[in-house]
Amino acid sequence: MKDNDFRRILPAIKRLNHFLPKYQDQIIDRWEKVPFMTKGDIDKISSQTNFSHESYCVYFTSGTTSKPRAIYHDEGDIKNISNYIKWFCEVENIKKGSLTVVLMDQSFWGVGYFTMLGHVKYGNQVVPIDTDLPPNKIREILETMKPNIVSSIPSVLFYLKDFLKGINFDFIETTGEYLNNKKRQELENCFKGEVFDSYGLTECVLGVECKEHNGFHYDLNKIKLEVVDEEGNILPDNKWGELVITILRNKRIPLIRYKSGDICKLISEKCICGINKPRVKFKRRIKKVYHLYEGYELEHRVIEKLVERIYGESKKIDINCEIRSGVFHLKIFIKDGEKKINYKIKRRLEKMNFEILHMVRRKRLFINVSNL
């Protein structure tokens, strides 16, 4: 990391000194000495910070593997994020003045709101549509507005594709979930437009595809990315490892050397599209996860711990997650499980947090627990 970039994050490190002992106990004089941040660190900062006399905007992570994590932003943070998404539109080479439908959760998850702001700053007209609306109402709006662009989550578009048959877009922006080539082709065949995927976490927005679709471009003036091995050593370009993120302009809750939990590699050579920005490629999550609806995930280890806590002993479990007719079926098989306790596990999973419960009520997620 360049010296001037290191100086830029020193105020943020001093802010973290008030909340995290691992920063207080170290003399940090170079980049390699800066400790890694984790999800638990964000929780500690959020719980210890008094925001009562300050203006801020708060959104939450999905919370499907634990308690939803609050992510705070002040006006400056929101401006920086929306400007970054405006730059995404430039990378995608979208025509200014296009009509964009942002088909995402408009309340709990902040990505929909920030996407809307970015498109407005770029000069587009925006119609926000919440995913809670019935499919027939969503179709009604799309038929009336005739948008050029849809910005959404892959699983949402797959869930709605039969309801939206015959409705086409010039651009299909996707985010929030891993999109393989097969799924990309299905979406392009269904909606007759080109898919541009973007990459990020609920905690931060990272990068977007260009027309070459060979990795996600990101801006070094806003984000510093590293890839590290299991011991935390920085790896060179084109080597796969865990992605570590530093957001240079996030003031409310700084993200410094934040471990993403994603296996990625960095590419610094110039893309043939002509955009002189580095790229990051995503491979997979480090931990075994089950992808549900609208970017929500369940970690295998969370279910293992839940089963162990309820039974009082470890149990061998197998999990199968599949989608049938727009409904996600999560099947959990436990060796030598008792029927009464298995039902208790099912109920506990359903009530883990608002998001899972909300999906169950809308019949988008069906949980079943039985014996191996």
Side-chain angles (χ1 to χ4, degrees):
M1 191 175 209
K2 297 178 182 178
D3 290 340
N4 61 331
D5 290 328
F6 182 67
R7 287 194 294 270
R8 286 169 69 185
I9 67 162
L10 284 177
I13 291 176
K14 290 178 181 177
R15 177 173 172 78
L16 294 178
N17 284 336
H18 297 291
F19 306 106
L20 303 175
K22 65 183 178 182
Y23 287 89
Q24 297 171 0
D25 297 340
Q26 295 196 37
I27 298 175
I28 301 172
D29 54 8
R30 65 177 187 270
W31 183 246
E32 290 76 12
K33 284 189 177 182
V34 179
F36 294 111
M37 282 188 72
T38 65
K39 292 176 172 61
D41 294 330
I42 295 179
D43 293 337
K44 288 179 183 177
I45 297 171
S46 299
S47 63
Q48 295 177 46
T49 305
N50 181 7
F51 294 118
S52 58
H53 300 295
E54 303 177 51
S55 61
Y56 63 88
C57 176
V58 59
Y59 284 98
F60 296 87
T61 61
S62 62
T64 43
T65 58
S66 60
K67 181 180 178 182
R69 185 170 300 105
I71 307 296
Y72 293 85
H73 302 285
D74 64 14
E75 290 182 11
D77 293 338
I78 294 172
K79 181 179 178 181
N80 290 331
I81 296 168
S82 56
N83 280 334
Y84 198 39
I85 294 178
K86 172 189 173 184
W87 177 70
F88 280 18
C89 295
E90 296 174 11
V91 174
E92 296 167 346
N93 198 27
I94 290 173
K95 183 180 178 181
K96 289 188 178 181
S98 298
L99 180 58
T100 303
V101 160
V102 179
L103 181 56
M104 300 186 199
D105 178 281
Q106 300 293 331
S107 54
F108 194 78
W109 200 38
V111 176
Y113 175 63
F114 296 132
T115 299
M116 180 182 69
L117 290 181
H119 273 272
V120 169
K121 284 197 171 187
Y122 186 69
N124 290 342
Q125 303 158 1
V126 176
V127 179
I129 302 180
D130 198 284
T131 50
D132 274 349
L133 278 179
N136 64 313
K137 293 298 180 184
I138 294 175
R139 182 180 181 92
E140 232 176 80
I141 296 171
L142 294 177
E143 287 179 330
T144 302
M145 302 304 298
K146 295 180 173 55
N148 313 94
I149 302 165
V150 62
S151 187
S152 191
I153 317 296
S155 60
V156 171
L157 294 175
F158 278 109
Y159 173 71
L160 292 171
K161 67 186 179 77
D162 292 334
F163 297 100
L164 304 182
K165 193 172 182 180
I167 294 179
N168 301 328
F169 307 98
D170 298 326
F171 287 82
I172 304 160
E173 294 183 334
T174 56
T175 191
E177 296 168 350
Y178 173 64
L179 185 71
N180 60 32
N181 288 333
K182 181 181 178 182
K183 290 183 177 179
R184 179 194 297 271
Q185 193 62 54
E186 285 183 40
L187 288 178
E188 290 185 341
N189 291 341
C190 178
F191 297 110
K192 311 303 180 187
E194 187 174 1
V195 170
F196 286 82
D197 197 23
S198 63
Y199 172 47
L201 315 176
T202 305
E203 294 87 342
C204 57
V205 181
L206 294 181
V208 68
E209 289 181 332
C210 66
K211 62 182 180 181
E212 298 300 326
H213 308 289
N214 187 25
F216 303 95
H217 286 280
Y218 64 96
D219 189 344
L220 282 170
N221 293 317
K222 301 182 186 301
I223 293 173
K224 295 296 178 185
L225 299 182
E226 305 167 85
V227 170
V228 300
D229 61 19
E230 292 181 357
E231 286 73 43
N233 302 309
I234 300 174
L235 297 174
D237 283 359
N238 295 306
K239 295 292 184 181
W240 295 102
E242 182 171 8
L243 187 70
V244 175
I245 303 162
T246 299
I247 306 297
L248 297 174
R249 299 183 180 182
N250 207 41
K251 296 179 181 178
R252 181 62 57 186
I253 296 182
L255 286 183
I256 299 178
R257 304 201 84 194
Y258 179 67
K259 302 191 82 172
S260 67
D262 291 346
I263 297 294
C264 297
K265 71 176 180 180
L266 302 181
I267 305 171
S268 58
E269 56 260 29
K270 188 175 180 179
C271 179
I272 62 174
C273 74
I275 297 173
N276 192 21
K277 297 289 184 183
R279 286 164 287 155
V280 56
K281 274 196 169 184
F282 173 86
K283 189 175 187 179
R284 61 176 174 82
R285 298 283 290 164
I286 290 176
K287 296 169 183 173
K288 188 175 183 181
V289 298
Y290 304 98
H291 300 281
L292 306 177
Y293 187 76
E294 294 189 51
Y296 305 140
E297 300 173 342
L298 268 175
E299 287 186 15
H300 187 92
R301 67 175 182 85
V302 171
I303 301 174
E304 277 186 328
K305 287 183 177 180
L306 176 65
V307 171
E308 184 176 349
R309 187 163 63 247
I310 292 177
Y311 271 100
E313 59 179 331
S314 61
K315 292 273 188 181
K316 181 183 176 182
I317 67 170
D318 281 339
I319 299 174
N320 178 41
C321 183
E322 59 182 17
I323 182 171
R324 299 197 302 269
S325 303
V327 178
F328 285 78
H329 292 257
L330 190 69
K331 295 181 179 180
I332 303 167
F333 302 94
I334 302 175
K335 186 175 182 180
D336 303 323
E338 298 178 27
K339 187 174 181 180
K340 187 175 181 180
I341 300 181
N342 285 354
Y343 178 77
K344 185 177 181 182
I345 291 169
K346 175 181 180 294
R347 297 299 298 163
R348 187 76 61 86
L349 273 172
E350 289 175 352
K351 293 180 179 178
M352 274 179 67
N353 55 65
F354 172 78
E355 293 299 307
I356 286 285
L357 183 60
H358 191 45
M359 289 165 65
V360 171
R361 281 180 175 171
R362 290 194 295 181
K363 302 187 185 303
R364 287 178 176 167
L365 175 64
F366 178 78
I367 299 173
N368 185 39
V369 183
S370 57
N371 292 347
L372 274 172

